[in-house]
């Protein structure tokens, strides 16, 4: 079933169709929220809030943009609200904590040995930390274009800006990220 068909059913109040939307997009929404918030619990809360907003807003969804563009815009807004609340309260999430917030990170795998895993983990932590310190518009563009690998056009629709703005903002974001990571040369 296509998104358009599922949305038509959702507009008629079909809860099973809405559950299908959640199952289809929950991982993408969580990954974007986690990329922007750098915190497992906040990303989970944000993902739930995104789907609540979608549920409430789907009857008025006009389908002028694609469903995913609308959904990612809602996700960006929810994450931005959470980041603003953090700033007002002075709450800072430490990415350097010893306890990894991702419960699946402790599952056994076929990855290289412990030394290589530790090095890779340290690199990932350094990148997450550096992304977390970027200005919100830079963090957002890095998550969409580099982590989620969206096209410039998709990111432009979600961010409601011209493609040229996406390209220049992404270039500035990458330069800022490169500068922050250059301080940790031993990892790269």
């Amino acid at each position: 079933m296509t998104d358009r068909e599922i949305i038509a059913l959702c507009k008629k109040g079909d809860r099973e169709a809405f559950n299908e939307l959640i199952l289809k997009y929950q991982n993408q929404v969580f990954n974007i929220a986690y990329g922007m918030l750098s915190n497992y619990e906040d990303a989970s809360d944000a993902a739930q809030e995104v789907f609540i907003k979608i549920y409430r807003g789907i009857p008025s969804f006009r389908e002028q943009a694609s469903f995913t563009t609308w959904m990612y815009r809602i996700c960006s807004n929810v994450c931005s609200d959470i980041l603003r609340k953090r700033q007002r309260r002075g709450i800072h999430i430490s990415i350097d904590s010893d306890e990894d917030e991702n419960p699946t990170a402790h599952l056994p795998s076929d990855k290289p040995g412990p030394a290589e895993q530790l090095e890779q983990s340290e690199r990932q932590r350094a990148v997450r930390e550096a992304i977390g310190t970027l200005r919100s518009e830079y963090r957002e563009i890095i998550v969409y274009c580099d982590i989620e690998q969206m096209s410039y056009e998709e990111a432009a629709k979600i961010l409601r800006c011209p493609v040229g703005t996406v390209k220049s903002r992404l270039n500035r974001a990458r330069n800022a990220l490169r500068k922050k990571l250059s301080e940790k040369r031993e990892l790269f």
Side-chain angles (χ1 to χ4, degrees), residues 87-125:
Q87 262 185 333
R88 270 188 256 135
R89 293 183 187 149
I91 298 171
H92 300 285
I93 303 300
S94 172
I95 300 175
D96 288 329
S97 68
D98 292 336
E99 186 177 309
D100 194 331
E101 294 172 346
N102 183 352
T104 60
H106 302 290
L107 296 176
S109 69
D110 297 332
K111 292 184 180 177
E116 291 87 5
Q117 285 182 356
L118 178 62
E119 189 175 313
Q120 181 180 1
S121 174
E122 289 300 315
R123 266 192 238 112
Q124 288 173 345
R125 186 181 311 236

Side-chain angles (χ1 to χ4, degrees), residues 26-41:
Q26 66 186 354
N27 290 338
Q28 289 171 299
V29 168
F30 175 83
N31 288 337
I32 288 171
Y34 186 72
M36 292 178 72
L37 300 171
S38 300
N39 178 281
Y40 186 85
E41 289 176 12

Side-chain angles (χ1 to χ4, degrees), residues 13-107:
D14 186 331
R15 289 183 185 221
E16 287 301 315
F18 188 72
N19 286 338
E20 193 172 327
L21 268 184
I22 292 173
L23 290 173
K24 186 173 182 179
Y25 292 108
Q26 66 186 354
N27 290 338
Q28 289 171 299
V29 168
F30 175 83
N31 288 337
I32 288 171
Y34 186 72
M36 292 178 72
L37 300 171
S38 300
N39 178 281
Y40 186 85
E41 289 176 12
D42 284 350
S44 294
D45 291 346
Q48 285 182 343
E49 189 171 336
V50 167
F51 285 110
I52 288 169
K53 288 183 181 284
I54 289 172
Y55 183 78
R56 290 179 180 156
I58 209 155
S60 60
F61 175 56
R62 294 175 296 195
E63 299 182 51
Q64 292 174 333
S66 72
F67 173 75
T68 53
T69 300
W70 183 63
M71 177 183 68
Y72 291 142
R73 185 76 237 150
I74 291 171
C75 187
S76 287
N77 291 339
V78 167
C79 291
S80 293
D81 289 345
I82 290 171
L83 290 170
R84 272 193 294 278
K85 287 176 188 173
R86 268 191 208 165
Q87 262 185 333
R88 270 188 256 135
R89 293 183 187 149
I91 298 171
H92 300 285
I93 303 300
S94 172
I95 300 175
D96 288 329
S97 68
D98 292 336
E99 186 177 309
D100 194 331
E101 294 172 346
N102 183 352
T104 60
H106 302 290
L107 296 176

